[in-house]
């Protein structure tokens, strides 16, 4: 295969994944997987694995950037992270026995509606809600949210970052900056767990694509996270919404138009 084509496709995949990760805390696998399958003919399971491995460093460097700017809540996010990791494994096991295509489509539709929500939601709402939610309620909601997110992430192979952002902002009262920072922190460990599992089972024959996707996703995630932390809440909400809506539509087109041909 033409090396220049591989480099170009991986650059575009890494750019989309890195921007989505740095700005919106999304999973890189949701972007990289479909692109590698469509344009490079990579096997779907392997493409998701490459996306997950690319997500590890991208999420880690994004989380570090958000932490430096005071937009990462590690202590209160641990119950959510633990429940996500546990139910990611459970979701992966269940996925062996059930078709995930329909659920994947519903996830992308949900991503579009959640993205639209970021355009129209009240910016003051999360500040007020965050003071009203006590620690016991936060713990309960974190565990329940983690169960749902982990199962979906393990079952579908993507969507965990988007759902996590929704739970953090809607049910736990986080502002968008803190929600994205906390989301990428948790996704670092989720992606690492999923990536190791994928390559332990199937390995990879696309080493060049893997290396390039890791590098490009890391680069763009760093750029996006730096810009995001310097942006005001209104602008960040709009960017997060745009990223979610665009990604959701693009993946729906891939699943139901391009792949169907």
């Amino acid at each position: 295969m033409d090396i220049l084509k591989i480099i170009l496709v991986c650059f575009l995949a890494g750019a989309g994944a890195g921007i989505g990760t740095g700005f919106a805390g999304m999973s890189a696998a949701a972007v990289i997987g479909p692109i590698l399958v469509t344009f490079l003919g990579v096997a779907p399971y392997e493409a998701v694995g490459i996306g997950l491995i690319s997500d590890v460093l991208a999420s880690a460097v994004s989380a570090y950037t958000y932490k430096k700017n005071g937009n990462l809540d590690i202590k209160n996010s641990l119950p959510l992270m633990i429940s996500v990791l546990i139910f990611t494994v459970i979701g992966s096991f269940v996925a062996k026995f059930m078709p995930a295509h329909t659920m994947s489509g519903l996830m992308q539709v949900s991503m579009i509606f959640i993205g639209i929500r970021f355009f129209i939601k009240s910016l003051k709402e999360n500040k007020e809600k965050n003071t009203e939610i006590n620690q016991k309620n936060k713990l309960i909601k974190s565990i329940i949210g983690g169960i749902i997110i982990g199962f979906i992430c393990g079952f579908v192979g993507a969507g965990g970052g988007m759902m996590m952002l929704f739970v953090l902002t809607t049910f736990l009262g986080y502002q968008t900056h803190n929600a994205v920072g906390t989301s990428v922190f948790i996704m670092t460990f989720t992606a690492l767990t999923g990536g190791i599992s994928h390559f332990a089972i199937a390995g990879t024959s696309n080493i060049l694509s893997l290396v390039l996707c890791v590098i490009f996703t890391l680069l763009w995630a760093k750029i996006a996270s730096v810009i995001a932390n310097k942006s005001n809440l209104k602008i960040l909400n709009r960017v997060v919404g745009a990223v979610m809506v665009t990604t959701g539509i693009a993946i729906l087109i891939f699943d139901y138009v391009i792949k169907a041909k």
Side-chain angles (χ1 to χ4, degrees):
M1 185 178 294
D2 189 352
I3 294 181
L4 289 178
K5 179 182 178 181
I6 295 176
I7 294 174
L8 177 60
V9 170
C10 290
F11 176 80
L12 294 175
I19 291 171
T21 298
F23 270 118
M26 291 171 53
S27 169
V31 179
I32 291 176
I35 291 177
L36 294 185
V37 171
T38 302
F39 298 104
L40 295 183
V42 178
Y45 190 85
E46 185 177 355
V48 171
I50 292 174
L52 288 169
I53 292 298
S54 301
D55 201 10
V56 176
L57 289 179
S59 292
V61 73
S62 297
Y64 178 71
T65 303
Y66 278 91
K67 184 178 185 299
K68 285 200 305 181
N69 288 272
N71 291 316
L72 173 57
D73 184 4
I74 296 178
K75 179 180 178 181
N76 293 317
S77 68
L78 291 179
L80 177 63
M81 183 176 75
I82 293 171
S83 56
V84 166
L85 293 177
I86 292 174
F87 277 84
T88 295
V89 176
I90 295 175
S92 298
F93 177 77
V94 175
K96 292 181 179 180
F97 307 100
M98 298 178 65
H101 183 72
T102 300
M103 191 171 181
S104 178
L106 292 175
M107 284 297 302
Q108 306 317 322
V109 173
S110 298
M111 183 185 294
I112 294 171
F113 280 104
I114 293 172
I116 294 174
R117 170 186 172 275
F118 274 92
F119 280 94
I120 63 177
K121 75 171 185 174
S122 170
L123 300 180
K124 296 181 179 179
E125 182 181 359
N126 282 349
K127 276 188 178 179
E128 296 169 355
K129 286 174 63 179
N130 203 29
T131 60
E132 296 172 0
I133 302 174
N134 61 43
Q135 292 302 313
K136 183 178 180 180
N137 285 338
K138 275 190 174 182
L139 177 61
I140 295 173
K141 290 180 179 181
S142 293
I143 294 174
I144 294 175
I147 291 172
I148 297 172
I149 293 167
F151 185 83
I152 290 174
C153 192
F155 192 94
V156 180
M162 177 269 294
M163 290 300 298
M164 204 173 309
L165 193 63
F166 179 70
V167 169
L168 288 170
T169 55
T170 303
F171 299 110
L172 299 180
Y174 281 66
Q175 286 191 336
T176 306
H177 286 91
N178 282 317
V180 175
T182 303
S183 176
V184 291
F185 170 73
I186 296 175
M187 286 305 297
T188 301
F189 299 96
T190 305
L192 179 62
T193 302
I196 291 175
S197 299
H198 272 69
F199 286 111
I201 294 173
T204 181
S205 58
N206 292 276
I207 301 298
L208 178 59
S209 297
L210 171 62
V211 173
L212 290 174
C213 284
V214 169
I215 293 173
F216 290 136
T217 305
L218 176 61
L219 173 64
W220 282 100
K222 177 61 177 178
I223 294 172
S225 60
V226 169
I227 295 174
N229 277 279
K230 293 181 179 179
S231 303
N232 64 43
L233 186 59
K234 183 176 181 179
I235 293 175
L236 184 60
N237 278 349
R238 299 299 186 266
V239 173
V240 168
V243 170
M244 284 189 167
V245 172
T246 302
T247 304
I249 292 174
I251 296 176
L252 279 176
I253 291 174
F254 166 76
D255 282 340
Y256 295 97
V257 179
I258 297 177
K259 190 189 293 186
K261 291 182 178 180

